[in-house]
Every structure is written in structure tokens, then in C-alpha cells.
Amino acid sequence: MFKWLKQPDKELHCLAAALITITVFFLMDTLFHRPNWGYWLGSFIAFASSLGKEIYDSFHRGEHSVEFLDIFAGMIGIGVMDLILSLRFIK
């Protein structure tokens, strides 16, 4: 069912979105002591980055291809990282 996600390009989109999400979360938690903000802001920035990358690709079609599945792979990375980070809030 998720064979498309095993493509190296999709794995990189998934990983990049997850890394953006967790990086922003830990920066907001460490620097500003606002883990809740980091949770939402990290997800937003990761999604905006995924969407922005595809918008960039749409203007550079000779070098890049626009694929909805790239955005979806990023959303999977965000969702998995959000699930992992949400475990931190369970008491």
C-alpha cells in the first residue's frame, strides 16, 4: 500500500519534515520554555516548507518535478514526529 513511500525521494521528504518538526520543538522548548508552541510551530513550519518546496519545483519544472506525494510524505513525517512528541505531554 505504501510502496511509493520507499522511494529515496519520498524518504528524504519524510525525514526532512520530521527533522524540522523536532528541531523547532526543541528550540522553542529550550530557548523559550514553550513546548506547546514548539509542537504547533514545528508542524506548521515543516508543512510550509514541504509546500514551499513543491511551489518552488513548479517554477523550475526543467530541473524538478512537482508531486503531491512529496507533500504527503512530508505530512507523514510530521505526523509521526508529532505522535512521538505528544508522548512527552502524557502524565
Side-chain angles (χ1 to χ4, degrees), residues 36-83:
N36 291 336
W37 290 11
Y39 183 82
W40 295 106
L41 188 62
S43 299
F44 175 77
I45 291 173
F47 178 74
S49 298
S50 295
L51 186 61
K53 169 70 167 79
E54 295 309 307
I55 291 171
Y56 173 85
D57 289 349
S58 72
F59 288 105
H60 298 89
R61 289 194 177 253
E63 305 160 18
H64 303 278
S65 63
V66 178
E67 297 180 43
F68 172 75
L69 290 178
D70 288 348
I71 297 172
F72 192 64
M75 290 172 60
I76 289 173
I78 294 166
V80 168
M81 194 52 63
D82 282 348
L83 182 62

Side-chain angles (χ1 to χ4, degrees), residues 25-38 88:
F25 173 82
F26 281 120
L27 285 174
M28 291 300 292
D29 188 22
T30 304
L31 298 177
F32 303 107
H33 307 289
R34 301 282 187 186
N36 291 336
W37 290 11
R88 186 171 193 257

